[in-house]
Amino acid sequence: MEDQQTNLELDPSAMSCVKPAPQQCLTTKVDALSDVTRESLHANAQQVVDDLNSKRKQDTQLLSNFKKALHEQMESACNRLEQHMFLGYEKNGGLIQEKLQELYLCLDRIEKIESELHEFKEALKILYQEMNS
């Protein structure tokens, strides 16, 4: 048995099977590290992309919530403005109605006076014609 072990130690091809050459060993380790590094880089890159997509989704949701809140505030402000306008209409409407009634009464008096003036002119015309005839 000792002879076989001695032969193994002396045989260079047997040594390469047991112990790889230093250059091959280094290449194997670098390749293994490259695979691990590539996998970790890929995983890290995927994580960055996933985080980016998640943040974009959050931004989209935030913008949607902002639009909704802004729309609600705008609608509330428009409703308050509309109520204020109608209160102004009601307040001024009574005054305007009163002034319009005064105007119509004044126009009715003017119409009566014009009618009386027209009748007076006609009567004066008849009187003048009778005096000159």
Side-chain angles (χ1 to χ4, degrees):
M1 254 190 172
E2 285 182 325
D3 285 343
Q4 286 179 352
Q5 285 180 350
T6 307
N7 284 342
L8 283 175
E9 289 177 8
L10 296 175
D11 186 14
S13 65
M15 281 179 57
S16 68
C17 288
V18 174
K19 277 182 154 180
Q23 189 176 18
Q24 286 179 341
C25 183
L26 183 60
T27 304
T28 305
K29 287 181 181 178
V30 169
D31 287 344
L33 285 175
S34 294
D35 288 343
V36 169
T37 303
R38 283 185 198 130
E39 289 174 8
S40 65
L41 286 174
H42 180 39
N44 287 342
Q46 186 61 45
Q47 184 63 41
V48 167
V49 168
D50 291 344
D51 290 346
L52 181 64
N53 287 337
S54 174
K55 288 179 181 178
R56 285 180 177 175
K57 187 175 180 180
Q58 289 174 354
D59 289 346
T60 302
Q61 185 62 40
L62 180 67
L63 182 60
S64 176
N65 291 343
F66 179 75
K67 283 181 182 178
K68 183 178 177 183
L70 188 60
H71 185 268
E72 288 172 359
Q73 287 179 355
M74 182 206 52
E75 191 156 327
S76 174
C78 286
N79 286 338
R80 286 193 309 267
L81 178 61
E82 185 177 38
Q83 288 174 353
H84 183 72
M85 284 174 34
F86 287 140
L87 287 174
Y89 292 163
E90 287 176 16
K91 180 181 176 184
N92 293 332
L95 180 63
I96 290 172
Q97 188 65 33
E98 184 180 316
K99 296 295 182 183
L100 283 173
Q101 286 177 349
E102 287 178 23
L103 176 64
Y104 290 138
L105 288 174
C106 186
L107 290 174
D108 285 343
R109 281 183 289 181
I110 290 172
E111 185 180 353
K112 285 181 183 179
I113 292 171
E114 284 179 337
S115 176
E116 289 175 7
L117 181 61
H118 181 69
E119 288 175 15
F120 176 76
K121 283 178 169 183
E122 288 298 318
L124 187 60
K125 179 181 173 185
I126 293 172
L127 179 65
Y128 182 76
Q129 287 175 350
E130 286 179 6
M131 287 175 58
N132 285 333
S133 352

